[in-house]
Structures are given as C-alpha cells and as structure tokens.
C-alpha cells in the first residue's frame, strides 16, 4: 500500500467492499460481526412463513404510521443486515441513510428472522444477529426457528447495546400463541397459522 494512502480500519474496509458488491439475483450480502456474509434467498417453506407473517403484520399496522419492510438493508455504524422482515415508519424519507442504502437501525422497531437450514445459518440468526441487533438497540427481535426442537418462536426484548444482549426472552413451541409485548406491533399474536404446527 502506498505510504500516502491511509490504511482503512476493518469496519470501513468491509463497508466499502459491501457497497461495491454486485450479486446475482436471489442473493443478498450482510456485514455481521466482522465478516461479509452472502446468502441465498430462502426456500419455499421459509418464504411461506415470511409471506404469512408479512400479510398478518400489514393488517395489524393498517391504521398506523408503521409498515412492514423486507428485502431492504438495516444499517448501524458501518454494519448492514437484511432481516427477513422489519417494522419501521412507513414514511421512510427521514430515516434513510444519507447514501440511501437502507434504513437507520434507530428507526427500526422490530426485526424478524426465519432460521434457514445449516449450522452456519442457524448460528448467524440465533447468536451473531442476536448480538448485532441488541448492539444496535433494536427493541424487538423475533426468531422463528424450525430447527430448534420441533419448532420454536422466540421474542426477545429489552436490548442492552453495551452488553450485546436482550434482557428478556419468551420462547414457545410452534402451536403456542405468543404476543409482541411492546412497540407498534404490541399485542400482535404469533400463532400456528403463521408458523405451521409443531414439526415431527
């Protein structure tokens, strides 16, 4: 590297690399804990759950100023994630990053991940993204997980950014209703109609 060229920190180098990526259709890239992770879009079962949940959330939010977003970046301090779904203001103009690449994490009230098959995918959603979303202070993280026992829904709240953790967690098996306890989606029930029945 030439002497007059300043060395980039890791976060900035990853950020510049991420912004320059050109991915084939059906893939997205995220910056998660010091790595750029490229993932394909989910399989049919994955998409089915997301679509059912999106439609139900849209009905719940119909008369509010919030909307359900998907296939869009959530950005926090040179980190970028593409949640399966997230809830943020419908009028997005003031909440976009300066470069228009995505929503600022501070405007996001809820994120949802539907866990994909494979050890790395499971670790990303259950551990790495859990820490990342807590670090960004996102108030509610919903994890729908076919691969935990016979299927579970976990609702995480009370993020502690400095500790990179959520202080409160409700984890129930598929088939057991669980409600979102706070924010614009408060009272929304995640049910078997969204997840499907317990897996055998």
């Amino acid at each position: 590297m030439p002497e007059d060229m300043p060395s980039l920190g890791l976060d900035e180098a990853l950020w510049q690399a991420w912004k320059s990526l050109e991915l084939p259709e059906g893939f997205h890239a995220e910056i998660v804990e010091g790595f750029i992770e490229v993932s394909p879009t989910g399989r049919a079962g994955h998409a089915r759950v997301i679509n059912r949940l999106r439609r139900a959330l849209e009905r719940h939010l119909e008369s509010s100023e919030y909307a359900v977003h998907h296939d869009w970046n959530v950005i926090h301090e040179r980190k970028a994630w593409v949640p399966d779904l997230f809830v943020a203001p419908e009028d997005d103009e003031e909440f976009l990053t300066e470069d228009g690449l995505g929503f600022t994490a501070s405007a996001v009230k809820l994120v949802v991940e539907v866990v994909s098959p494979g050890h790395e995918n499971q670790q990303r959603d259950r551990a790495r993204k859990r820490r990342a979303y807590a670090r960004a202070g996102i108030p509610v993280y919903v994890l729908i997980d076919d691969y935990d026992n016979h299927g579970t829904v976990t609702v995480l709240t009370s993020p502690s950014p400095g500790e990179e953790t959520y202080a409160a967690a409700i984890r129930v098996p598929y088939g057991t209703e669980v409600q979102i306890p706070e924010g614009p989606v408060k009272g929304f029930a995640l049910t078997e109609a969204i997840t499907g029945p317990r897996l055998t």
Side-chain angles (χ1 to χ4, degrees):
M1 179 180 294
E3 285 183 19
D4 59 346
M5 184 182 293
S7 62
L8 296 175
L10 176 61
D11 284 351
E12 183 64 23
L14 287 170
W15 179 251
Q16 295 301 330
W18 176 80
K19 288 200 302 184
S20 69
L21 286 174
E22 293 184 22
L23 297 174
E25 189 174 338
F27 288 82
H28 64 257
E30 303 174 284
I31 304 173
V32 183
E33 295 197 335
F35 294 91
I36 294 176
E37 299 191 21
V38 178
S39 307
T41 53
R43 299 178 184 180
H46 186 271
R48 213 173 288 124
V49 171
I50 292 167
N51 287 333
R52 287 194 295 248
L53 180 55
R54 187 181 74 239
R55 287 192 297 269
L57 282 169
E58 285 170 348
R59 287 192 297 271
H60 184 85
L61 293 168
E62 200 168 24
S63 60
S64 81
E65 60 190 32
Y66 290 91
V68 184
H69 303 270
H70 65 102
D71 290 335
W72 207 2
N73 303 311
V74 172
I75 295 175
H76 176 71
E77 295 179 353
R78 297 287 195 256
K79 308 290 187 296
W81 314 294
V82 185
D84 287 321
L85 294 174
F86 66 94
V87 171
E90 184 168 25
D91 184 5
D92 58 24
E93 204 58 43
E94 68 179 285
F95 304 107
L96 298 179
T97 56
E98 286 182 15
D99 50 19
L101 287 174
F103 255 95
T104 58
S106 60
V108 174
K109 303 304 179 186
L110 175 144
V111 288
V112 178
E113 297 290 358
V114 178
V115 178
S116 297
H119 178 74
E120 280 304 308
N121 293 328
Q122 292 167 25
Q123 287 305 303
R124 180 183 65 235
D125 291 341
R126 292 174 185 164
R128 296 195 299 276
K129 279 194 167 182
R130 181 174 179 154
R131 289 190 294 266
Y133 291 150
R135 191 182 309 122
I138 294 174
V140 181
Y141 178 23
V142 175
L143 194 61
I144 299 174
D145 193 343
D146 276 1
Y147 308 97
D148 180 13
N149 200 0
H150 297 286
T152 62
V153 176
T154 303
V155 177
L156 299 156
T157 55
S158 302
S160 178
E163 296 174 11
E164 301 179 356
T165 189
Y166 284 90
I170 303 169
R171 179 173 165 268
V172 300
Y174 284 5
T176 302
E177 180 178 306
V178 61
Q179 292 192 359
I180 304 300
E182 62 180 76
V185 189
K186 182 177 181 178
F188 176 83
L190 291 141
T191 66
E192 186 174 320
I194 292 167
T195 63
R198 277 177 66 81
L199 305 171
T200 54

